[in-house]
Amino acid sequence: MRALVIYDLTGRIWQIIYGEEEVPQGLPAAFVDIPEGAQLERMDVTDPDHPKPVFSYLPESDIGRLQKKVADLEEELTSTQLALAEQYETNLALQEEVTNTQLALVELYEGKEV
């Protein structure tokens, strides 16, 4: 998520503002895209003209792992359902071919008797 970060000359962050469009005059500030699950620790100001954000990532919680597992399983279930639907359609087509073959055999058999 994009945020305006106001920091000092050491890189310490003093304020993070979301939804702001203007950079304050006279204060070191930068717009930073903060990735999901990341925490902005500080700004790397070794090159004052090009400060870089430094992130840390919190360990994934049990709930987060379970949510990811549920999403993965839902995706796998959808793939399996699609494969089953394709197999069902194939079986229907084969069943129709068998029926047509049986009807053709009956016609041949009946035609032979005459």
Side-chain angles (χ1 to χ4, degrees):
M1 176 171 242
R2 187 170 185 216
L4 174 65
V5 178
I6 300 172
Y7 55 94
D8 63 19
L9 297 178
T10 67
R12 180 178 174 198
I13 296 171
W14 287 94
Q15 188 166 16
I16 298 175
I17 305 169
Y18 296 94
E20 183 62 51
E21 297 296 323
E22 291 184 42
V23 177
Q25 298 297 314
L27 296 173
F31 285 106
V32 174
D33 287 317
I34 302 175
E36 188 175 329
Q39 182 176 354
L40 184 59
E41 277 188 14
R42 61 185 173 82
M43 295 296 287
D44 180 1
V45 291
T46 51
D47 180 3
D49 294 331
H50 299 89
K52 293 184 176 86
V54 177
F55 300 105
S56 65
Y57 292 87
L58 302 173
E60 191 173 19
S61 68
D62 289 341
I63 290 175
R65 283 192 297 274
L66 288 174
Q67 288 172 333
K68 185 175 183 323
K69 184 68 173 174
V70 166
D72 291 345
L73 289 172
E74 285 175 345
E75 186 176 315
E76 189 175 330
L77 176 62
T78 301
S79 296
T80 303
Q81 287 172 330
L82 289 172
L84 284 172
E86 288 177 15
Q87 186 64 44
Y88 179 74
E89 290 173 3
T90 302
N91 287 346
L92 284 178
L94 288 174
Q95 190 174 16
E96 187 176 329
E97 287 181 34
V98 168
T99 301
N100 290 339
T101 303
Q102 289 172 334
L103 290 172
L105 287 172
V106 167
E107 286 179 23
L108 286 173
Y109 180 75
E110 288 175 351
K112 190 175 183 180
E113 287 180 1
V114 176

